[in-house]
Amino acid sequence: MRKIIISLLVSFSLVAAPAVSQAATQSAKRALNEDQVVTLLNQIRSAHGLSDFTVSVPLRNSARFHSADMLAKGYFDHSSPTEAWDTRISHYLKAPLIGENIAWGQGSYGTPEGIVSQWMHSATHRAIILTAGLHRIGLGLATGSFQGSAGAVMATADFAS
């Protein structure tokens, strides 16, 4: 009986290890892509004579939560069905000036370059990125199915002074 239990434990460990490794790889890829979006945004700000954004962990947590929530609940809006966007951000960080950009896409539209391009081709989103009084940023990317499209990337950028 003891050999069977040990054998089952070893088998379970071998099955669980790839799942943990895959989750770690996905998390690392998400963080890398989030960093790439911040780098691209800072290049744009620099080209306009503005200071770089500093990554804020509380804003990143807010943005990650919102992107995951939009995918899980199937909506695309700054505010969730139950909470306004500024209220959500204030749970994570208090600041006199805040802003938010959201985007989603798949394929080239879901890459860091595609997300930033969408924002820069929208006057409202571009204005937030180029607001001199905003100095902190949190990026949150989530990947999944959205509106019947597999491999969709949902992006939220939360900003604060």
Side-chain angles (χ1 to χ4, degrees):
M1 182 67 167
R2 182 175 273 220
K3 288 182 182 180
I4 293 172
I5 292 173
I6 292 171
S7 176
L8 287 174
L9 288 174
V10 170
S11 297
F12 178 74
S13 297
L14 294 175
V15 170
V20 171
S21 177
Q22 183 179 9
T25 300
Q26 289 173 344
S27 179
K29 182 179 177 188
R30 176 186 66 182
L32 176 64
N33 286 342
E34 290 169 351
D35 290 345
Q36 289 174 333
V37 171
V38 173
T39 297
L40 292 169
L41 293 175
N42 281 337
Q43 289 171 357
I44 291 165
R45 284 178 62 90
S46 179
H48 286 85
L50 300 169
S51 63
D52 284 357
F53 287 122
T54 301
V55 174
S56 162
V57 172
L59 287 174
R60 182 185 65 207
N61 292 340
S62 173
R64 284 181 175 176
F65 171 83
H66 188 58
S67 291
D69 192 57
M70 286 190 291
L71 272 180
K73 295 178 181 169
Y75 69 95
F76 181 69
D77 200 318
H78 292 279
S79 297
S80 77
T82 59
E83 185 172 52
W85 70 275
D86 52 343
T87 302
R88 173 183 35 84
I89 293 172
S90 72
H91 291 307
Y92 293 89
L93 180 133
K94 305 282 189 236
L97 180 62
I98 59 173
E100 178 172 86
N101 285 350
I102 60 174
W104 83 273
Q106 58 186 143
S108 64
Y109 291 103
T111 64
E113 295 82 3
I115 292 163
V116 171
S117 177
Q118 288 181 65
W119 288 335
M120 292 307 291
H121 284 94
S122 161
T124 306
H125 295 95
R126 179 184 175 92
I128 292 170
I129 292 165
L130 298 178
T131 298
L134 295 172
H135 303 287
R136 294 179 283 176
I137 189 172
L139 247 297
L141 301 179
T143 303
S145 293
F146 183 67
Q147 296 182 345
S149 299
V153 177
M154 195 68 70
T156 302
D158 287 336
F159 305 90
S161 53

